[in-house]
Amino acid sequence: GCPTDWDGLSCWPALPLGQSRAVACRDILNVFKKSEGLIQRNCTEWGWSLPSPPYHSSCQLETLSSNNDTEAKARRFVTMKVLYTCGYSTSLAALLLAIGIFSCFRKLHCTRNSIHIHFFTSFILRGSAVFIKDSVLFSDESIDHCTMSTVTCKAAIAFFQYSVLANFYWLLVEGLYLQTLLLLTFTCDRSYTWGYILVGWGVPMVTVGVWVLTRLHYDDHGCWDDYSSLYWWVIKAPILLAIFVNFLIFLNVTRMLAQKIWCPELSQTHRQQYMRLTKSTLLLIPLFGVHYVVFALFPEHVGVDARLYFELVLGSYQGFLVALLYCFLNGEVQAEIRRSWGKWQRSMESNVFNLATQDFTA
């Protein structure tokens, strides 16, 4: 057969003798305009055949008149990397502090905050996975990503896919819990906790395990960081399922809140609770992943710049937003911190008074 080959524009995976492979112009490194042209190469007895038809005749080149356009694109990607690095760093710091607050104060220990801690942890894993993937795959610009196929890079990609899946499924758990909270009228049932944990951590683990085994047996080339492979749907389909189920939950929660708020028999106390929950729901549209629906059904090559901006730049600050709304701006958390701070101040004043009394009596 023919080994994996990099011809300077496209990566051609290994093929058995006598078979052929075609690549669309739009999938070749964004060098060509969106075109329906196809490039084909055959695996012959003498190795890979030349691209047929040639790139320049099948695909229409972009009019990159000078190095200025290339440099502008490079600056844009560098700027984007700086932005999402700052975003993930800010989110990691905020999420770690939020987890510390929920863990330290005993009065904040409940099912709701336990789910929040798991959700925060999934954001921390996602941010860490981005940094690990960047350090493994893009630390050396001389690396040929076509022929690079190490255990380290595959493990980094597998961990990244698991953290992304876990983040989406804990996002789904947050939606499920909010709906359950409304159906049970603000009661807190711990019997669902293990079910939520199985959904949030177990489903992504099984999915990534199936994906890894599939890639090992049927498509084990490169670093598994290509999204053109048919087996990418093993990861993408569960993500799409989580997004659309969460979107339906968001619509149902909005409907339930509207019905309860306008109910004339509702007491003023419950009405205030539902109003606060409505404000939180409207503020937490990114939490439900509603904005991901915009890109969910589009192919990977459509709206690349907008997709990168939403998923990398805005998505990197999502963890900070979640920590801010669920922890730092939470009235219960603020009251507990003020109570503990006041208790500590009184303790310090008492210690100072005792020391002063001892000095006076001595």
Side-chain angles (χ1 to χ4, degrees), residues 42-83:
N42 302 319
C43 180
T44 68
E45 296 178 0
W46 302 276
W48 283 103
S49 66
L50 294 174
S52 177
Y55 286 109
H56 65 271
S57 62
S58 180
C59 303
Q60 184 181 5
L61 278 171
E62 287 185 349
T63 56
L64 297 177
S65 56
S66 65
N67 291 332
N68 294 334
D69 294 328
T70 305
E71 291 175 0
K73 287 185 176 181
R75 286 196 300 269
R76 186 170 71 248
F77 282 112
V78 169
T79 302
M80 189 174 294
K81 184 175 181 180
V82 171
L83 288 175

Side-chain angles (χ1 to χ4, degrees), residues 65-271:
S65 56
S66 65
N67 291 332
N68 294 334
D69 294 328
T70 305
E71 291 175 0
K73 287 185 176 181
R75 286 196 300 269
R76 186 170 71 248
F77 282 112
V78 169
T79 302
M80 189 174 294
K81 184 175 181 180
V82 171
L83 288 175
Y84 79 70
T85 299
C86 293
Y88 279 119
S89 300
T90 304
S91 295
L92 287 174
L95 291 165
L96 288 171
L97 179 59
I99 290 176
I101 291 173
F102 281 140
S103 302
C104 290
F105 296 104
R106 187 177 297 275
K107 287 191 175 181
L108 298 178
H109 293 180
C110 66
T111 304
R112 181 182 71 254
N113 291 337
S114 176
I115 291 174
H116 293 341
I117 289 175
H118 284 285
F119 187 45
F120 294 169
T121 305
S122 71
F123 272 109
I124 292 173
L125 287 181
R126 185 169 184 170
S128 303
V130 169
F131 292 140
I132 292 172
K133 187 181 74 167
D134 283 355
S135 65
V136 172
L137 269 66
F138 306 115
S139 58
D140 188 357
E141 295 182 358
S142 64
I143 292 176
D144 185 355
H145 291 282
C146 176
T147 58
M148 182 183 180
S149 183
T150 63
V151 175
T152 303
C153 73
K154 292 176 182 178
I157 295 298
F159 175 63
F160 174 76
Q161 299 296 357
Y162 174 75
S163 64
V164 171
L165 272 166
N167 192 219
F168 276 107
Y169 273 84
W170 274 107
L171 186 147
L172 175 62
V173 168
E174 287 280 359
L176 289 171
Y177 179 74
L178 180 56
Q179 182 172 255
T180 304
L181 200 65
L182 289 171
L183 290 173
L184 298 179
T185 318
F186 292 103
T187 58
C188 191
D189 192 349
R190 293 181 179 271
S191 62
Y192 296 101
T193 303
W194 283 108
Y196 292 142
I197 291 175
L198 288 176
V199 172
W201 298 120
V203 173
M205 186 173 293
V206 172
T207 303
V208 172
V210 171
W211 178 72
V212 168
L213 292 175
T214 304
R215 293 301 298 258
L216 284 172
H217 284 85
Y218 302 107
D219 196 14
D220 188 18
H221 71 274
C223 265
W224 301 352
D225 59 336
D226 59 307
Y227 297 101
S228 59
S229 172
L230 181 65
Y231 302 107
W232 164 236
W233 279 96
V234 177
I235 297 291
K236 187 173 182 178
I239 290 177
L240 292 177
L241 177 64
I243 289 173
F244 282 101
V245 170
N246 226 1
F247 181 65
L248 294 177
I249 290 174
F250 171 75
L251 296 178
N252 189 42
V253 166
T254 305
R255 179 189 63 82
M256 293 169 63
L257 286 171
Q259 289 180 346
K260 290 180 180 295
I261 289 173
W262 294 107
C263 179
E265 292 84 9
L266 192 68
S267 65
Q268 188 63 27
T269 302
H270 281 84
R271 190 182 301 276

